[in-house]
Amino acid sequence: AQSVTQPDARVTVSEGASLQLRCKYSYFGTPYLFWYVQYPRQGLQLLLKYYPGDPVVQGVNGFEAEFSKSNSSFHLRKASVHWSDWAVYFCAVTSNSGTYQRFGTGTKLQVVP
Amino acid sequence: DMKVTQMPRYLIKRMGENVLLECGQDMSHETMYWYRQDPGLGLQLIYISYDVDSNSEGDIPKGYRVSRKKREHFSLILDSAKTNQTSVYFCASRNRETGNTLYFGEGSRLIVV
């Protein structure tokens, strides 16, 4: 069965610094991968998604992620973090039918001055 | 504008009472979901609905049931609520045309006392 692991429950980054949030997936076959962001008291919103093709995908607000089949990973990156990026980030995996979407436990990003 | 609306946003119920959480979407998406979100557990899938009267259990269906009589509406019912059902519940709908992206409501915070 597909699953996602986000090993870091909380990450603290200085404003302007670079960011990497880790995601490891388990899936037999070709995975379809997503990163969502959740701001306080809101639902999740899509940041970016990966379908088989270019391993580096670009998302909104300067985020990007890189798919690695050999490492079973889909890490999220940003070159320069802004205070408004303070949120919880979820990685998700699904089959190509898209029916079952399973989420990781989330990583809470804190941005400090 | 694509929107998923959840009602009520906040609810306090006594143990043993019935709970009805409602979800609506204005996008004519076929597939809809109910998740619950708990600290440290991320999002857990309760039920999936593929269309009207076509529902399937997710990973944690025990204690819940669903109803979908119109494509736009998907309800989650708790018959005789339990304290361990205190959680934040999210409804989502799936857009196959944009690569299986999920659109989430803002959540319904349920407290069972």
Side-chain angles (χ1 to χ4, degrees), chain A residues 13-100:
Chain A
V13 177
S14 298
E15 190 171 14
S18 63
L19 167 71
Q20 177 172 279
L21 301 182
R22 297 184 292 164
C23 172
K24 300 275 284 185
Y25 69 88
S26 173
Y27 186 76
F28 183 75
T30 302
Y32 292 70
L33 296 155
F34 301 78
W35 275 99
Y36 289 84
V37 61
Q38 183 181 32
Y39 299 106
R41 303 280 189 221
Q42 294 186 24
L44 281 68
Q45 305 169 39
L46 181 71
L47 267 183
L48 50 80
K49 58 192 174 194
Y50 166 79
Y51 294 124
D54 189 340
V56 178
V57 292
Q58 304 295 322
V60 298
N61 297 333
F63 285 95
E64 68 173 28
E66 184 167 5
F67 169 74
S68 171
K69 187 173 183 178
S70 60
N71 293 324
S72 298
S73 67
F74 188 56
H75 300 329
L76 182 70
R77 303 189 296 237
K78 187 170 184 179
S80 178
V81 171
H82 189 263
W83 66 266
S84 60
D85 294 325
W86 186 313
V88 182
Y89 293 80
F90 289 93
C91 184
V93 64
T94 185
S95 62
N96 59 1
S97 71
T99 304
Y100 270 75

Side-chain angles (χ1 to χ4, degrees), chain B residues 1-66:
Chain B
D1 191 23
M2 297 184 174
K3 192 170 179 66
V4 177
T5 303
Q6 291 186 232
M7 291 293 290
R9 294 288 314 278
Y10 302 94
L11 189 60
I12 299 176
K13 286 287 193 178
R14 296 187 185 279
M15 196 166 54
E17 291 185 327
N18 298 332
V19 177
L20 172 65
L21 302 181
E22 301 194 90
C23 175
Q25 49 106 353
D26 60 1
M27 300 166 279
S28 294
H29 291 165
E30 294 173 347
T31 308
M32 297 184 72
Y33 306 80
W34 277 105
Y35 289 89
R36 64 177 281 176
Q37 183 179 26
D38 302 288
L41 297 178
L43 274 77
Q44 299 176 85
L45 181 61
I46 306 172
Y47 265 95
I48 303 171
S49 175
Y50 300 104
D51 211 329
V52 172
D53 285 330
S54 179
N55 307 316
S56 180
E57 295 180 344
D59 296 325
I60 54 162
K62 187 177 180 182
Y64 304 94
R65 61 183 174 94
V66 293

Side-chain angles (χ1 to χ4, degrees), chain B residues 35-108:
Chain B
Y35 289 89
R36 64 177 281 176
Q37 183 179 26
D38 302 288
L41 297 178
L43 274 77
Q44 299 176 85
L45 181 61
I46 306 172
Y47 265 95
I48 303 171
S49 175
Y50 300 104
D51 211 329
V52 172
D53 285 330
S54 179
N55 307 316
S56 180
E57 295 180 344
D59 296 325
I60 54 162
K62 187 177 180 182
Y64 304 94
R65 61 183 174 94
V66 293
S67 175
R68 192 161 178 208
K69 298 301 182 185
K70 293 182 179 181
R71 180 172 281 187
E72 298 78 22
H73 294 116
F74 188 34
S75 300
L76 181 69
I77 301 125
L78 288 67
D79 295 314
S80 186
K82 300 173 180 54
T83 55
N84 63 8
Q85 293 178 308
T86 292
S87 186
V88 181
Y89 292 86
F90 286 97
C91 174
S93 69
R94 179 171 70 111
N95 187 342
R96 289 197 295 178
E97 295 178 2
T98 60
N100 293 318
T101 300
L102 295 192
Y103 292 84
F104 283 84
E106 293 189 316
S108 294

